[in-house]
Amino acid sequence: ALKEQNEAYLKESGLSKEKSEADADLKRSTEDILLDLEVKINSKMREFNNILYPDIRKAPQINLNAHNSYSFYTPDDDGTGTKFKGMIVFDLVMLYLTNLPALAHDSLLLSNVSYQATEALLKLYDQSRSLNKQVFLAFDKASSYSPDANQLLSENTVLRLSSNGNELY
């Protein structure tokens, strides 16, 4: 009986050590994966931000602290327009880097973004078609934008809502 107890203790000790090593491997792997994702996402957000703002504005950043913890911010700028821009840029990155098939943005998001940046966004939305992705965009006040932006909107409009019978409800 003592011999069996000793063998069971040694087996339990061995299994405990293996579990501890497996936990450490999982933690390292998770950290590596999160760091890789963080680098890819932040790189693409910088790329898109530079398209929206050629005058060198800081791009949003995501820090993936753990599998269940992150921080998302734009360094040195916590204004409303910057927060909306950050969310839009992040959404676009997810559209471009993942299997996400579509993206929907409401005009409210764009109302806090500059005209120049909005026109650049329209081009990024349009380019997503080459990835076989769809963007659903509610867009107001198109007449306030450049002829190029209006042409891009016109070429891509599938549904136009207006009064006098063109409402959805």
Side-chain angles (χ1 to χ4, degrees):
L2 291 173
K3 184 177 178 182
E4 285 178 9
Q5 286 178 351
N6 283 340
E7 288 173 2
Y9 172 78
L10 292 173
K11 187 172 185 177
E12 180 185 6
S13 294
L15 290 173
S16 180
K17 182 180 176 189
E18 286 179 27
K19 180 186 181 303
S20 180
E21 290 171 357
D23 286 344
D25 287 346
L26 177 61
K27 184 179 181 197
R28 274 191 304 278
S29 293
T30 301
E31 289 170 353
D32 290 345
I33 290 167
L34 291 175
L35 181 61
D36 183 51
L37 288 172
E38 186 178 299
V39 167
K40 286 178 182 174
I41 292 168
N42 286 333
S43 174
K44 197 70 167 171
M45 285 197 299
R46 267 190 309 279
E47 176 188 332
F48 285 167
N49 192 75
N50 291 341
I51 291 170
L52 300 183
Y53 299 101
D55 59 348
I56 313 297
R57 292 195 193 174
K58 292 184 179 176
Q61 293 181 4
I62 191 164
N63 294 327
L64 303 173
N65 306 321
H67 72 282
N68 61 353
S69 172
Y70 71 92
S71 59
F72 185 80
Y73 61 96
T74 299
D76 304 323
D77 192 346
D78 62 354
T80 302
T82 298
K83 288 181 179 183
F84 278 83
K85 181 258 310 186
M87 185 177 69
I88 292 168
V89 167
F90 179 79
D91 288 350
L92 271 169
V93 167
M94 292 298 100
L95 184 68
Y96 274 70
L97 294 182
T98 69
N99 290 328
L100 188 68
L103 172 67
H105 280 160
D106 187 66
S107 58
L108 173 66
L109 295 175
L110 299 174
S111 67
N112 290 291
V113 177
S114 72
Y115 284 101
Q116 167 200 338
T118 299
E119 291 195 12
L121 275 171
L122 293 175
K123 292 175 185 172
L124 289 173
Y125 289 145
D126 185 53
Q127 290 170 7
S128 69
R129 291 186 312 150
S130 66
L131 303 171
N132 292 322
K133 308 277 184 142
Q134 281 189 300
V135 174
F136 298 92
L137 176 65
F139 197 83
D140 294 333
K141 302 177 185 167
S143 60
S144 301
Y145 293 87
S146 72
D148 288 344
N150 274 283
Q151 181 177 347
L152 199 54
L153 286 168
S154 179
E155 290 170 358
N156 290 290
T157 297
V158 174
L159 175 66
R160 184 177 303 272
L161 303 178
S162 63
S163 56
N164 298 323
N166 292 320
E167 302 89 352
L168 280 179
Y169 53 89

